[in-house]
Amino acid sequence: GAGVSQTPSNKVTEKGKYVELRCDPISGHTALYWYRQSLGQGPEFLIYFQGTGAADDSGLPNDRFFAVRPEGSVSTLKIQRTERGDSAVYLCASSLPHSPLHFGNGTRLTVT
Amino acid sequence: GQQVMQIPQYQHVQEGEDFTTYCNSSTTLSNIQWYKQRPGGHPVFLIQLVKSGEVKKQKRLTFQFGEAKKNSSLHITATQTTDVGTYFCAGRTGSARQLTFGSGTQLTVLP
């Protein structure tokens, strides 16, 4: 079946611009996670959704970052006033309750 | 907050040699998972350990969870070039759903 789909695969934006990253989870997966991965590092937790609600957003670095999942399926990660330090690969993962995470291929964000 | 450390950061081995990566948590874990990320790819789940002292095997891979549930290891016997990639441990504490990843061990296998 289809895996986790993330779009776009690559995004280049200028410092100060707004970006949206989209994640289509595996159908039926109620849990959805956003992680950020910098080169040579492990995935860094950003936010976790159970259904439509953000059950844990403790990993969002500041208020420029926001994520939604309005219908409990597709999720969008939104970054305002992007900074060069936001450049990274943004990974989305979905899972069934108490099950392993299935990751998408990620969106590589470059802020120039 | 919870921290998960992995050593070594890099490991180069000749094909056929064994490889081990170690994972240590600053807090007691409810479970630990291992993932493999090939170059240019995304993390792929390998296994989950839940019980204190648990040992699981997958062909040439052996996974252990420490008695205190604060450390874990992955051992690969007789490495092959297909084992190349970065191996991450990831742990949960209590009932938290957040999965904290270690920094990973990048394995290079020389033919």
Side-chain angles (χ1 to χ4, degrees):
Chain A
V4 177
S5 175
Q6 290 189 247
T7 54
S9 55
N10 281 284
K11 177 70 177 178
V12 180
T13 191
E14 291 180 350
K15 180 176 177 293
K17 299 290 188 183
Y18 167 83
V19 296
E20 289 189 352
L21 312 180
R22 176 187 169 106
C23 173
D24 267 288
I26 293 173
S27 178
H29 281 194
T30 54
L32 186 145
Y33 301 76
W34 283 99
Y35 283 84
R36 176 169 71 175
Q37 187 173 29
S38 300
L39 192 63
Q41 302 293 317
E44 173 194 4
F45 172 79
L46 296 177
I47 188 169
Y48 156 66
F49 287 89
Q50 180 58 46
T52 60
D56 183 349
D57 64 357
S58 62
L60 294 177
N62 51 59
D63 61 6
R64 296 186 297 106
F65 289 74
F66 190 71
V68 295
R69 195 187 185 197
E71 297 178 356
S73 179
V74 170
S75 177
T76 305
L77 178 65
K78 308 180 181 193
I79 311 174
Q80 299 178 322
R81 305 182 304 280
T82 51
E83 300 176 357
R84 292 195 180 89
D86 299 334
S87 297
V89 175
Y90 289 80
L91 293 165
C92 176
S94 69
S95 76
L96 293 169
H98 310 293
S99 294
L101 272 57
H102 296 261
F103 283 87
N105 288 328
T107 294
R108 181 176 300 278
L109 176 66
T110 303
V111 182
T112 63
Chain B
Q2 180 191 359
Q3 288 188 319
V4 178
M5 277 101 27
Q6 272 186 264
I7 56 169
Q9 186 175 2
Y10 303 97
Q11 185 76 59
H12 291 70
V13 300
Q14 289 291 140
E15 189 172 17
E17 292 182 339
D18 292 356
F19 159 77
T20 304
T21 173
Y22 300 90
C23 177
N24 287 283
S25 170
S26 58
T27 56
T28 301
L29 301 170
S30 57
N31 64 67
I32 195 157
Q33 299 178 12
W34 284 90
Y35 290 77
K36 176 183 178 181
Q37 186 172 23
R38 293 184 184 274
H42 56 270
V44 174
F45 174 78
L46 294 176
I47 208 157
Q48 175 172 279
L49 304 169
V50 179
K51 300 177 184 176
S52 170
E54 188 170 13
V55 178
K56 286 189 176 181
K57 292 190 176 185
Q58 286 181 351
K59 297 182 181 178
R60 294 178 294 104
L61 278 60
T62 302
F63 303 84
Q64 291 188 317
F65 200 8
E67 294 290 342
K69 299 183 76 172
K70 294 182 74 173
N71 58 75
S72 181
S73 66
L74 159 59
H75 179 82
I76 302 179
T77 303
T79 53
Q80 300 176 359
T81 54
T82 53
D83 295 326
V84 164
T86 301
Y87 292 84
F88 293 100
C89 63
R92 282 199 175 97
T93 54
S95 59
R97 297 301 299 161
Q98 176 186 144
L99 195 61
T100 301
F101 279 76
S103 51
T105 296
Q106 185 176 322
L107 173 65
T108 301
V109 180
L110 305 170

